[in-house]
Amino acid sequence: MPTTEPVVITADSVSRFARALGLPGDAAVPPTYLVSLTMPAADPLIADPEFGLDWSRVLHRDQRFVYHRELRAGTEVALTPTVESIKTVAGNDLLTIHTEVADAEGLAAEVWTTLFVAGDPA
C-alpha cells in the first residue's frame, strides 16, 4: 500500500485520545496513540472489495508498538502500512498489518495490528 499523505499529530487529538483512556490530557503522546493513525492508514486495503475482508467476522486480536524515538504533538508523520502476513489456523485467518511511521528524521515507530477473521461457518 502507498504511504499516506503527511499527518500532523495535534495537541488536540493527543488530548482527546488521552482523556478517552482516563489519562491526563497533556501534550504527552500515549503509547497506544498511533492506533488512531494506523488503522485509518490501512483503510484503503481493508475496504477494498477485492481484498474481501468481511468486517462482520473480524475481531481485534493484538496490537504491538515499537518506538524508535518519542513522538510529540506537532510532529508530522507519514504512515506506510503493509500486509505482513495472513495465516490460516483451524479455518480462521490471522491478518497482520505492519505500519511504519516516519517523521522528518526517518523511521520513528512501527505498529503491528493483528486481526482475527472467523472462517465461514457454512
Side-chain angles (χ1 to χ4, degrees):
M1 283 194 331
T3 300
T4 65
E5 292 294 320
V7 177
V8 175
I9 298 173
T10 67
D12 181 58
S13 68
V14 169
S15 179
R16 285 185 287 119
F17 190 90
R19 284 195 312 267
L21 296 176
L23 301 171
D26 59 18
V29 175
T32 58
Y33 171 82
L34 288 178
V35 74
S36 70
L37 302 178
T38 59
M39 288 306 291
D43 280 350
L45 168 71
I46 292 171
D48 184 345
E50 288 187 32
F51 191 68
L53 185 63
D54 179 354
W55 276 103
S56 70
R57 298 196 315 227
V58 173
L59 293 172
H60 184 262
R61 182 172 187 261
D62 187 45
Q63 195 80 46
R64 188 166 49 108
F65 302 85
V66 173
Y67 282 86
H68 301 286
R69 68 180 150 278
E70 184 179 5
L71 291 171
R72 299 180 182 276
T75 303
E76 186 175 82
V77 296
L79 300 100
T80 306
T82 57
V83 174
E84 185 171 272
S85 67
I86 300 174
K87 297 177 186 173
T88 301
V89 179
N92 303 299
D93 292 328
L94 296 175
L95 167 65
T96 301
I97 300 169
H98 173 236
T99 305
E100 292 184 348
V101 180
D103 61 12
E105 297 177 39
L107 185 62
E110 297 174 84
V111 180
W112 287 265
T113 302
T114 302
L115 303 174
F116 172 88
V117 185
D120 189 353

